[in-house]
């Protein structure tokens, strides 16, 4: 600590040797600064206060139905981004600041000046904003602030409208896009179902149930086939033991029986008897029935004659006894039924085989159907969500059109300043004096370092590293003491005069500004 004090004292002694240099520089800097401060042009600041009311009675009522953006955040962002080059250029035109601009250089300088001078100050959560601008002309400052207020309100409303329109256009484009995707997905599902209709179940049943049902039908058909074959075999064994009875070679038509024709003739005769009870002989239905009976009898005679010519065996077999003929008919029906059941069994076997062969494709088809359903479900969900958002956006736009998302209230209109707001000469004058003193102090320290001197033997010994045998002190004489006091008084007077001059200039300036 002692060494630090000794070093500091040494610095002060060295600076004291060049105190007049420092005092002179302090006067020069101080006086120059005061003159420069006095000659600085006055600036007049115009300001306006705008309150943005973001509270609306419709907002809580429409919660969940309409899109409700964070209005406070939007207003805060607007206040920070309002001062940009396009808005500044628009403000120049609105405030008629470009009337005296000549050339691009002056215009760029004006844009830079406005960008640096425009101020938008917020108070935080209250949404109360102060718009201010300072200029050398009060009327121009007022015009700039008025234009800035208009631009602030228009930008707030215009940005919201632009955002709403852009959002609605984007949603409409996405809805059209998803409509196309839904149509494509529906067409793919329709083609898939048409292509695999036989494999995708019937009447709500799955494919395994269909195979089980077809297998059951096949077993039932096989059972019926076995029953028909047993019946046929029984008829054949009975027919082998039954002998036909031969009739004369030239029997009468009534003695010969042809079951097919005789059955039809008997039916027609019964029908004719019934009609004769209701109609006359000339009725068309009666005449038609008689004609058909005659044709069948003639057909029977022709058949008998054909069998007779074919040989006695054929004629004799034709004229067998009724039991034999009935057994022959029953055998023929049994054989026909066996053939029909065989065809049915073959068809069922073919269907079951095809179904079992196609069952190997069932997992792949189910996976493909699941993929199609999943794609369709995703597209449908997104489409429904977009439609809901579009309706919500429409409601929000209508709500903003009627009530407004925010209300801009001009609390204090742009003022026409009478007194200058800058520069603050009463503060700058003392600062100029302090700057002069600091400059003088710095100059004396610099010169003392450039032209050092030893003030005691200790400093000499420390610097040179040589032993100091002794020091010679200068004895003060009355003449030297008078000169020293006179110099100290002159320096003190100069310093006090400098401080007084700065104070006087500040006081006079205060009187002038009043």
């Amino acid at each position: 600590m002692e060494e630090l004090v000794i070093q500091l004292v040494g610095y002060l002694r060295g600076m004291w040797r060049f105190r007049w240099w420092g005092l002179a520089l302090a006067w020069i800097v101080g006086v120059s600064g005061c003159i420069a401060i006095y000659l600085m042009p006055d600036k007049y600041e115009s300001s306006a206060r705008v309150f943005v009311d973001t509270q609306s009675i419709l907002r809580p009522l429409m919660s969940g139905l309409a899109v409700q953006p964070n209005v406070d955040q939007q207003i805060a962002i607007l206040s920070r981004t309002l001062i940009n080059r396009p808005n500044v250029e628009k403000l120049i035109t609105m405030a008629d600041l470009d009337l005296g601009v000549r050339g691009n250089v002056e215009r760029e300088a004006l844009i830079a000046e406005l960008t640096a001078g425009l101020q938008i100050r917020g108070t935080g959560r209250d949404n109360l904003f102060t718009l201010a601008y300072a200029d050398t002309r009060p009327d121009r400052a007022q015009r700039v602030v008025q234009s800035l207020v208009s631009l602030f309100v228009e930008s707030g409303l215009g940005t919201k409208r632009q955002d709403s329109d852009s959002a609605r256009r984007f949603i409409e484009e996405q809805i059209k896009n998803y409509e196309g995707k839904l149509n494509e997905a529906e067409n793919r599902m329709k083609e898939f179902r048409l292509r695999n209709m036989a494999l995708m179940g019937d009447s709500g049943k799955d494919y395994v149930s269909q195979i089980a049902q077809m297998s059951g039908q096949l077993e039932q058909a096989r059972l019926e086939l076995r029953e028909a074959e047993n019946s046929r075999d029984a008829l054949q064994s009975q027919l082998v033991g039954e002998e036909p009875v031969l009739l004369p070679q030239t029997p009468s038509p009534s003695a010969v029986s042809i079951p097919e024709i005789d059955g039809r003739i008997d039916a027609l005769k019964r029908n004719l008897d019934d009609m004769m009870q209701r109609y006359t002989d000339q009725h068309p239905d009666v005449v038609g029935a008689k004609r058909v009976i005659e044709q069948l009898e003639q057909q029977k005679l022709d058949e008998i004659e054909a069998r007779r010519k074919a040989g006695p065996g054929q004629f004799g077999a034709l004229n067998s006894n009724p039991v034999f003929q009935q057994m022959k008919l029953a055998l023929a029906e049994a054989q026909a039924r066996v053939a029909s059941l065989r065809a049915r069994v073959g068809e069922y076997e073919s269907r079951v085989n095809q179904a079992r062969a196609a069952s190997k494709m069932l997992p792949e088809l189910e996976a493909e159907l699941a993929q199609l359903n999943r794609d369709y479900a995703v597209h449908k969900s997104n489409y429904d969500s977009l439609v809901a958002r579009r309706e919500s956006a429409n409601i929000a736009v209508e709500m903003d059109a009627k009530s407004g998302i925010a209300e801009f209230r001009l609390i204090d209109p742009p003022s026409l300043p009478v007194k200058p707001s800058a520069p603050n000469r009463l503060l700058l004058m003392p600062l100029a004096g302090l700057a002069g003193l600091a400059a003088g102090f710095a100059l004396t320290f610099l010169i003392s370092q450039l032209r050092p001197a030893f003030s005691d033997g200790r400093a000499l010994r420390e610097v040179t590293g040589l032993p100091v045998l002794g020091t010679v002190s200068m004895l003060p004489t009355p003449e030297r003491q008078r000169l020293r006091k006179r110099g100290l008084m002159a320096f003190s007077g100069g310093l006090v005069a400098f401080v007084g001059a700065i104070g006087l200039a500040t006081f006079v300036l205060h009187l002038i500004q009043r």
Side-chain angles (χ1 to χ4, degrees):
M1 185 66 183
E2 183 180 359
E3 294 181 357
L4 181 60
V5 172
I6 294 174
Q7 187 178 5
L8 181 61
V9 171
Y11 286 149
L12 293 176
R13 287 178 178 176
M15 294 169 61
W16 180 257
R17 294 171 51 235
F18 305 101
R19 59 188 179 277
W20 294 105
W21 290 90
L23 183 62
L25 182 62
W27 273 93
I28 293 173
V29 172
V31 173
S32 301
C34 291
I35 295 174
I37 292 171
Y38 183 77
L39 295 179
M40 290 176 64
D42 292 334
K43 284 192 175 183
Y44 298 87
E45 183 180 81
S46 177
S47 62
R49 290 196 304 164
V50 178
F51 174 69
V52 183
D53 186 7
T54 59
Q55 302 298 325
S56 173
I57 191 174
L58 287 179
R59 293 184 65 185
L61 295 178
M62 301 302 292
S63 178
L65 295 177
V67 178
Q68 298 188 9
N70 191 339
V71 183
D72 296 335
Q73 184 178 7
Q74 290 184 354
I75 297 300
I77 294 175
L78 175 63
S79 65
R80 295 186 180 94
T81 60
L82 181 64
I83 303 177
N84 50 45
R85 185 180 180 89
N87 289 337
V88 171
E89 292 179 348
K90 186 177 180 180
L91 188 144
I92 290 174
T93 304
M94 294 172 61
D96 297 331
L97 300 181
D98 54 348
L99 298 179
V101 176
R102 299 176 181 177
N104 294 330
V105 177
E106 294 184 1
R107 185 176 181 83
E108 292 295 330
L110 179 60
I111 292 174
E113 180 183 355
L114 286 175
T115 303
L118 292 173
Q119 298 180 8
I120 300 178
R121 300 187 292 267
T123 58
R125 298 175 297 176
D126 299 332
N127 288 335
L128 184 62
F129 298 92
T130 301
L131 287 69
Y133 178 71
D135 194 85
T136 56
R137 293 171 52 186
D139 57 339
R140 189 165 70 172
Q142 186 184 28
R143 291 202 312 271
V144 170
V145 174
Q146 181 64 51
S147 302
L148 185 60
V149 170
S150 302
L151 191 62
F152 182 69
V153 176
E154 292 175 0
S155 299
L157 299 178
T159 302
K160 174 57 183 174
R161 288 193 294 267
Q162 293 176 1
D163 292 343
S164 299
D165 295 339
S166 300
R168 293 175 65 182
R169 285 196 301 270
F170 175 77
I171 291 176
E172 290 291 345
E173 293 175 358
Q174 293 298 315
I175 288 176
K176 292 181 180 179
N177 185 19
Y178 274 99
E179 282 180 354
K181 292 182 179 180
L182 277 177
N183 292 332
E184 293 177 0
E186 289 174 353
N187 291 332
R188 287 195 299 267
M189 290 185 65
K190 179 179 67 176
E191 294 174 357
F192 176 82
R193 292 185 181 277
L194 292 175
R195 188 173 61 251
N196 303 285
M197 184 180 298
L199 302 177
M200 297 308 297
D202 184 16
S203 301
K205 301 177 182 178
D206 57 1
Y207 199 61
V208 177
S209 298
Q210 292 185 27
I211 295 178
Q213 182 179 0
M214 286 187 291
S215 299
Q217 293 174 353
L218 176 59
E219 295 298 330
Q220 181 66 27
R222 286 175 177 175
L223 178 60
E224 293 179 359
L225 176 60
R226 287 194 298 269
E227 292 176 352
E229 289 177 348
N230 294 333
S231 177
R232 181 201 59 186
D233 295 341
L235 288 174
Q236 286 180 349
S237 62
Q238 292 177 8
L239 190 60
V240 171
E242 187 70 27
E243 294 294 336
V245 178
L246 298 179
L247 298 176
Q249 294 295 324
T250 58
S252 63
S254 59
V256 179
S257 174
I258 299 178
E260 296 85 356
I261 299 176
D262 291 342
R264 294 177 62 186
I265 292 174
D266 293 338
L268 288 171
K269 286 182 178 181
R270 287 193 298 272
N271 190 21
L272 180 61
D273 293 338
D274 183 61
M275 288 189 293
M276 289 297 291
Q277 294 176 3
R278 292 179 295 170
Y279 309 119
T280 63
D281 294 343
Q282 303 299 323
H283 194 275
D285 293 341
V286 175
V287 174
K290 289 180 178 181
R291 187 175 58 252
V292 173
I293 291 172
E294 292 176 358
Q295 292 176 356
L296 290 174
E297 289 179 349
Q298 183 62 39
Q299 182 180 355
K300 180 179 179 181
L301 292 175
D302 295 339
E303 182 68 21
I304 293 171
E305 183 65 25
R307 294 295 181 89
R308 186 181 62 78
K309 291 181 180 181
Q314 289 286 344
F315 187 75
L318 179 64
N319 294 276
S320 306
N321 61 62
V323 177
F324 184 81
Q325 291 296 327
Q326 291 296 329
M327 293 180 64
K328 291 281 288 184
L329 290 175
L331 178 60
E333 292 178 358
Q335 289 177 347
R337 179 169 176 76
V338 168
S340 175
L341 290 174
R342 284 179 178 175
R344 184 185 301 178
V345 170
E347 179 64 23
Y348 283 154
E349 288 179 348
S350 176
R351 292 182 183 180
V352 171
N353 293 332
Q354 291 178 359
R356 289 176 178 174
S359 63
K360 298 179 180 178
M361 300 174 56
L362 188 60
E364 182 179 354
L365 294 177
E366 290 179 349
E368 184 176 356
L369 180 61
Q371 179 65 35
L372 292 175
N373 290 331
R374 183 164 52 249
D375 295 342
Y376 179 80
V378 171
H379 295 329
K380 187 68 169 59
S381 176
N382 292 336
Y383 177 79
D384 293 339
S385 177
L386 287 172
V387 171
R389 290 177 183 272
R390 181 184 62 184
E391 295 303 321
S392 180
N394 292 335
I395 295 175
V397 171
E398 294 178 1
M399 183 179 68
D400 296 341
K402 293 183 179 180
S403 63
I405 185 173
E407 182 181 359
F408 293 82
R409 299 179 184 176
L410 186 61
I411 304 300
D412 295 329
S415 60
L416 182 62
V418 178
K419 294 183 179 181
S421 60
N424 190 357
R425 293 184 176 89
L426 296 180
L427 177 63
L428 294 178
M429 285 293 185
L431 292 179
L434 293 176
L437 293 176
F441 187 83
L443 179 63
T444 56
F445 180 76
L446 179 63
I447 297 176
S448 66
Q449 296 299 314
L450 295 177
R451 299 176 63 183
F454 299 105
S455 58
D456 55 9
R458 181 179 179 181
L460 178 62
R461 184 172 62 251
E462 290 178 354
V463 172
T464 60
L466 299 175
V468 177
L469 299 178
T471 58
V472 178
S473 300
M474 184 176 62
L475 297 175
T477 61
E479 184 67 20
R480 290 180 182 278
Q481 288 181 354
R482 284 194 301 270
L483 290 175
R484 183 178 179 183
K485 290 181 180 180
R486 192 179 303 164
L488 182 61
M489 291 178 63
F491 179 77
S492 300
L495 184 60
V496 172
F498 174 77
V499 175
I502 295 298
L504 180 63
T506 303
F507 180 73
V508 172
L509 185 62
H510 176 66
L511 294 178
I512 292 174
Q513 290 184 353
R514 292 180 63 186

